[in-house]
Amino acid sequence: MSHSVQHQAKLPVFRLRQLAGLLLLSGMVSMAYMPRAYAEVSQHANTAVQSFDIAPASLDQVLNTYAKQTGILLVIDAKLTQGKQSRGLHGQYEVLPGLNAILGGSGLQAVTQENGSYKLQKAVQPLPASSSSVDTLPEVVVADAKVKEENKVYAGSQVARQGKAGILGQRDFMDVPFNVTNYTEEVIANQQARSIGDVLQNDPSVRQTSARTNINEDFSIRGFTVASQDIALNGMYGLMPYFRVPVEMAERVEVLKGPSALLNGMPPSGNVGGSINIVPKRAADEALSRFGVTYMGDSVFGGTADLGRRFGENNAFGVRLNGMYRKGDTTIDQQRLEEFMGSLALDYRGERLRVTADFINQQETINKVVRQFTVDVGLTSMPRAPDNKLNYPGYGRSQMKDLSMVLRGEYDITDAIMVYAGVGSRNSQMDAVAGNPVLTSANGNFNSTAMWQLFEVKSESFEAGSRVKFSTGPVGHQVSAGVTKVNQNTNIHFVPVSGNIDNNIFAPVYISTPSTSGLNDNMVRFGATSLTSYALADTLSFLDETLQITLGARHQSVEQQAYNLPLGNKAGAKYSQGALTPVAGIVFKPWERVSLYANYIEGLSQGQVAPVGTTNAGQTFSPYKTKQKEAGVKMDWGKIATTVSVFEIERPSAVTVNNTFSVSGEQRNRGVEFNVFGEVADGLRLLGGGAYTHGELVKNQDSVLNGNTAIGVPDWQVSLGGEWDPVAASGLTLTSKVIYTSKQYVDQANNLSIPSITRFDIGARYKAKLNDTPVTLRANIENLFNRDYWNTSNEGYLYLGMPRTLLLSATADF
């Protein structure tokens, strides 16, 4: 008899009932379109060569896994396969040869039916038998099959299928119980991204919360801050450049939304909005020699180089070198920048051993660096946004240097057991003269004080762990265990170099940056932090991975020593606390290419310190947890993918009542997100989506604040980009993007707000061959209509959006 299994699923109840209704509607739409999507994918899969790494199991289970990965319809007579075992399938195959390779020695063969499906029957001429005692085909090993699978991109090439889900390892976006997007190096290049902030503008739930030419870049995910220093490198914290993260060396930028303490450990700054991971480029099998020239308005010129080679038997050794240099005047008045980035990526890929080494050197100098505004307590209304080309505070400079090194290795003890370890270090230095302007009146008056800031952070990062796959009866397991440790030591020198400077945003007076000549430049210790964690998780799979349940927990220890300024002596006893953060996630696939998922996960942040001026100044509070509940549905239509998710995040917040500081309030963000990527039709691609988030203050001692909207959490965010390849102009691509952010509050009392923002970007690129040399020309215009606008952060810092900016580049592959 033939098997046919049907599944039914019910989404978890969410308090926002109307959002749950939207999920149900999305599932119904997916069912309506699924037959056509299945037919298109099936037709393509018949001739496509795919890489497979299917573990040994019963013949039934291996065949079902194979049918699931290829998207084919396979009819199996249970009597023919009963009791037979298989060693799985490893290597690259088209559909029918792959099926027969699995069936080798079993006395069975696969045949194609008229409707495009496949059926098993007894072999007319027996296929070669295995030398093994069980009826299987000997294992065929392809050394780089795992690497190729990890780098597989989705239709449209803007998003990768797989990404690093922390301790859980590489996961296809359909198999991870979280909302994830993995941006590729192609989208980075085509959008001419200069830093990670430009890449993250593609995500509707992410916003940059600091000025583009500020000292550093920070972000907001789902209404909570993610600091630039908390961005991971290959899943390890404390290694990416501290102030601004480059992307010329990135193969993927992976974004996972929501708290993720179990997956990645606690980030150094304790952010909980989400995790951002950079996967560095590796040398491909084909040699690469790519050089480019770049231009950015007003007159910033530069060049890029990307070189890759593989050597040795089976191309086991790889070298990838990336370089970037830019210098010139920006579109901001009197602002000039100089940037350099160099990276070297080495790797070895053997049959079981994989080793990588990465070296990153980044340097940046900005003259007339801009800073964020804060609002004075007496400000009663916000002034309109001034001319976006104006410089504020009208003086300043910054010099940043980052040097990172990391070594990481993986070893497959068996096909089912893998161990890994990594170690890295980073040295970050800043020398800046800058002032944070304070906005004092609705007519645009502000004041500032120039401060000389020397800042140095030395980081060490370690990780080790293992992943083990096995089965207990019909239940599959992937048990993941890991340990991480991040040490950071911070030194600082912070002194004023001017008195109070008054100015106005509508008629600024630019002054020379105050000199630091003759001043003491000795730095003192400012902080020492050690974060150690241990994690254990098990992903249980049922019904041939139709149902996957992930359960786990991480114990995080936080050790911190604060120091007094300006002497640098210890401020009180060493702080040491620990906490346990659990996770529970579920993925259910009721139909092929449809995933229903849900999760409960917690984040962990360092305990806050009562600020100077409060009655309990210097008191350090225990680490606090952020809790997320999320549910969603993912649909893979074959060439386009969509995700709809609803979430609730509850995070403790600090308040000061009667001049006493305490962590006794809470911010609760609830929302719904829609993400889309892929090809709507041949030559027409979409990337982005929309998000609704309601951030509310609750449980505050100061009851006046309860019910207010949280600072810097807009109700609506949209980021949607499109690309079109005109049929009449081969090689030409036209692009456009809209970025919308609704009204935001600047203060907890909700007395001050900034209006909505709508930004339009356009672009074009042209690919051709000149004397057999592939050449790509790109042109992009950001903020096409030169809109003046304010933006804000979750801490209430204000900044101006960038002016209309023209970006040009040309690259050639030699």
Side-chain angles (χ1 to χ4, degrees), residues 461-484:
S461 186
F462 308 88
E463 73 165 0
S466 66
R467 283 186 283 275
V468 181
K469 295 181 180 180
F470 61 94
S471 297
T472 54
V475 181
H477 298 264
Q478 178 182 289
V479 176
S480 305
V483 57
T484 66

Side-chain angles (χ1 to χ4, degrees), residues 40 71 85 160 177 317 366 431 477 479 527 551 597 690 703 784 813:
E40 292 176 354
Q85 297 293 312
F317 297 92
I366 302 178
D431 182 348
H477 298 264
V479 176
L551 302 172
Y597 77 94
S703 59
L784 175 65
D813 293 359

Side-chain angles (χ1 to χ4, degrees), residues 605-770:
S605 302
Q606 294 184 34
Q608 296 190 11
V609 179
V612 176
T614 58
T615 58
N616 57 334
Q619 179 182 350
T620 301
F621 292 82
S622 298
Y624 56 91
K625 297 180 180 181
T626 299
K627 302 175 181 180
Q628 172 179 277
K629 296 181 283 291
E630 179 182 7
V633 57
K634 303 177 184 180
M635 287 86 72
D636 180 357
W637 310 90
K639 282 193 170 183
I640 193 164
T642 56
T643 300
V644 179
S645 56
V646 293
F647 65 87
E648 177 183 84
I649 304 176
E650 297 172 319
R651 181 187 186 185
S653 60
V655 294
T656 301
V657 180
N658 297 325
N659 205 33
T660 299
F661 180 89
S662 64
V663 182
S664 57
E666 183 176 281
Q667 179 177 333
R668 183 177 62 206
N669 290 3
R670 290 173 169 171
V672 59
E673 299 163 328
F674 171 76
N675 294 86
V676 59
F677 55 84
E679 290 185 333
V680 181
D682 290 343
L684 183 61
R685 295 171 290 279
L686 287 179
L687 178 63
Y692 170 82
T693 306
H694 179 62
E696 185 179 4
L697 301 180
V698 296
K699 301 180 182 179
N700 284 281
Q701 287 185 3
D702 186 354
S703 59
V704 176
L705 298 178
N706 289 331
N708 285 2
T709 299
I711 294 174
V713 183
D715 285 343
W716 293 98
Q717 295 180 170
V718 174
S719 294
L720 187 60
E723 294 190 344
W724 175 48
D725 305 331
V727 176
S730 178
L732 177 66
T733 300
L734 304 178
T735 68
S736 63
K737 183 192 301 180
V738 60
I739 302 174
Y740 171 79
T741 306
S742 65
K743 172 183 173 181
Q744 300 173 76
Y745 286 103
V746 178
D747 64 329
Q748 287 188 330
N750 290 178
N751 294 323
L752 301 174
S753 65
I754 57 176
S756 63
I757 307 159
T758 304
R759 190 185 108 181
F760 293 92
D761 300 346
I762 62 170
R765 64 179 180 271
Y766 181 69
K767 293 185 176 182
K769 281 193 175 183
L770 299 178

